């Protein structure tokens, strides 16, 4: 299935900063969410209509989960998604949610829901599940 990567450092950031002081990120850096409720990163992604697997590559060097809610074009899509500790800030892992996307441009926002803010965010990978369907032969 075709996947497209969208770097966090190129997304719209509210209450967060682009940094590059922890190795292992892709692209040119990652987003350090401010440590507060409501900080977010919002990616503009292009997709066909329908479900997509949306994977966030992240690091959390603490032992506390950093939950976030995902919205698509302002509508709740996946809520209370946990981002557990990854061991240290240079250890990156992925978490995948299934979101329903519209045809064309979508705004996918990952918003922190606790006072710790979100995990450090490296990139979002979007894989429309329609691409998984085997064409009839
Ligand atoms: C440390 C770390 C940051 C991280 C922050 C946090 O300051 O260096 O990369 O974002 O902790 O707790 O969110």
């Amino acid at each position: 299935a075709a996947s497209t990567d969208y770097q966090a450092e190129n997304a719209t950031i509210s209450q967060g900063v682009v940094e590059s002081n922890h190795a292992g990120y892709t692209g040119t850096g990652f987003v350090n969410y401010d440590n507060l409720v409501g900080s977010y990163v919002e990616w503009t992604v292009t997709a066909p209509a329908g479900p997509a697997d949306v994977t966030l590559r992240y690091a959390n060097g603490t032992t506390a989960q950093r939950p976030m809610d995902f919205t698509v074009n302002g509508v709740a899509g996946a809520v209370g998604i946990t981002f557990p500790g990854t061991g240290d800030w240079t250890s990156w892992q992925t978490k995948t949610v299934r979101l329903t996307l519209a045809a064309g441009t979508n705004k996918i926002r990952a918003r922190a829901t606790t006072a710790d803010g979100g995990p450090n965010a490296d990139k979002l990978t979007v894989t429309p599940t329609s691409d998984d369907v085997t064409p009839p032969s």
Side-chain angles (χ1 to χ4, degrees):
S3 298
T4 305
D5 284 350
Y6 299 89
Q7 293 295 330
E9 64 270 26
N10 297 331
T12 298
I13 301 161
S14 176
Q15 301 182 110
V17 291
V18 175
E19 295 182 336
S20 56
N21 58 324
H22 299 302
Y25 55 82
T26 64
T28 58
F30 57 86
V31 173
N32 170 353
Y33 280 73
D34 288 355
N35 300 115
L36 46 79
V37 173
S39 50
Y40 70 77
V41 177
E42 183 176 86
W43 290 264
T44 301
V45 314
T46 304
D53 288 325
V54 175
T55 298
L56 180 64
R57 187 167 188 263
Y58 77 99
N60 175 3
T62 77
T63 54
Q65 295 183 4
R66 300 243 174 142
M68 297 201 289
D69 289 345
F70 288 80
T71 59
V72 179
N73 299 324
V75 177
V79 300
I81 306 305
T82 58
F83 292 89
T86 57
D88 54 62
W89 292 109
T90 56
S91 294
W92 301 83
Q93 294 182 11
T94 59
K95 184 86 169 209
T96 300
V97 296
R98 178 69 60 89
L99 298 174
T100 301
L101 303 181
T105 298
N106 294 265
K107 303 280 190 183
I108 300 178
R109 181 180 298 189
R111 177 185 182 274
T113 60
T114 70
D116 284 340
N120 287 350
D122 178 31
K123 66 174 178 175
L124 201 71
T125 301
V126 177
T127 309
T129 59
S130 55
D131 292 347
D132 294 336
V133 175
T134 303
S137 52

